[in-house]
Amino acid sequence: MLSLTNINKKYGSHEVLNFSDWTVGNGIYWLKGGNGTGKSTLFRMISGQIPFKGEVQLNGIQLRKESVKFRSKISFAEAEPQYPLFITGKELIDFYTDTRRAERKQAEELAAYFEMAPFLDHNIGSYSSGMLKKLSLICAFVGNADLYILDEPLITIDVRSADKLYELIKAKASQGKSFLLSSHQEVSNDQLHLDQVFQIVNKQIIRL
């Protein structure tokens, strides 16, 4: 279970989020909203990347009190990932694999699954936007997180890759893993069973 309480986030004098509580259990959740509503800010807060006021807790582990343990339970893929352009895709995946103490075989299977294996020896600077997104998804699924946070995972990837992503999410969810997704594109329940849809409106998270 993910629980956020007494949340307030400002950039200078600009307040982005302000709500008293938000709790979600195991499942797949979609967070809707246009640019500038605070979706990416919320995801970065939950993943422990930016400071904020309030408390975040996952399965009894508090972000502020046990930050290392908390972060080990979460995997976050940004909407527009920015990686060093001079390293190869393999070097990046190896970094994630080592950091998360994952098996090399898992990373190799993910690369093959997203049809990226032939390009992993190329520098990231040579990747198209679609290849870059698939690389970020491979890195996100390396390891064994409890909660996967995918910010705009469908942008720039083709229909075939999107279908593969849906299948991977469903497989992980069947293992008890949870997902927070954001997307400008509609996510149909025919493609992916959503346990709940939320939207950020006036700095608050509302249930749709």
Side-chain angles (χ1 to χ4, degrees), residues 65-190:
K65 292 184 177 180
E66 300 179 89
S67 61
V68 174
K69 185 177 181 181
F70 181 95
R71 290 187 179 96
S72 72
K73 303 295 184 182
I74 289 181
S75 185
F76 174 44
E78 298 205 52
E80 298 180 1
Q82 296 185 0
Y83 303 124
L85 302 181
F86 56 85
I87 67 172
T88 66
K90 183 180 184 304
E91 288 172 331
L92 182 70
I93 293 172
D94 284 348
F95 171 77
Y96 275 82
T97 302
D98 291 342
T99 301
R100 295 176 177 171
R101 299 177 182 177
E103 295 183 2
R104 300 281 177 188
K105 183 180 179 182
Q106 183 196 27
E108 292 169 359
E109 290 174 347
L110 285 166
Y113 183 75
F114 282 109
E115 301 177 354
M116 281 291 291
F119 310 103
L120 293 185
D121 288 329
H122 300 180
N123 287 349
I124 290 176
S126 68
Y127 284 8
S128 67
S129 57
M131 292 167 66
L132 190 62
K133 173 59 78 171
K134 288 194 286 185
L135 179 65
S136 75
L137 291 172
I138 293 168
C139 292
F141 282 102
V142 164
N144 187 34
D146 290 337
L147 173 64
Y148 294 85
I149 303 175
L150 308 180
D151 194 3
E152 295 289 351
L154 300 176
I155 60 172
T156 73
I157 61 174
D158 54 40
V159 174
R160 177 180 172 83
S161 297
D163 288 341
K164 284 177 173 285
L165 175 60
Y166 288 137
E167 291 304 314
L168 186 55
I169 291 173
K170 286 187 283 188
K172 289 287 185 181
S174 70
Q175 299 169 9
K177 309 300 183 180
S178 294
F179 287 83
L180 290 180
L181 312 173
S182 76
S183 177
H184 287 98
Q185 299 165 260
E186 289 293 319
V187 179
S188 170
N189 264 312
D190 294 334

Side-chain angles (χ1 to χ4, degrees), residues 54-57 60-70:
E55 296 293 336
V56 175
Q57 182 172 287
I61 304 169
Q62 293 186 21
L63 172 57
R64 295 194 188 280
K65 292 184 177 180
E66 300 179 89
S67 61
V68 174
K69 185 177 181 181
F70 181 95

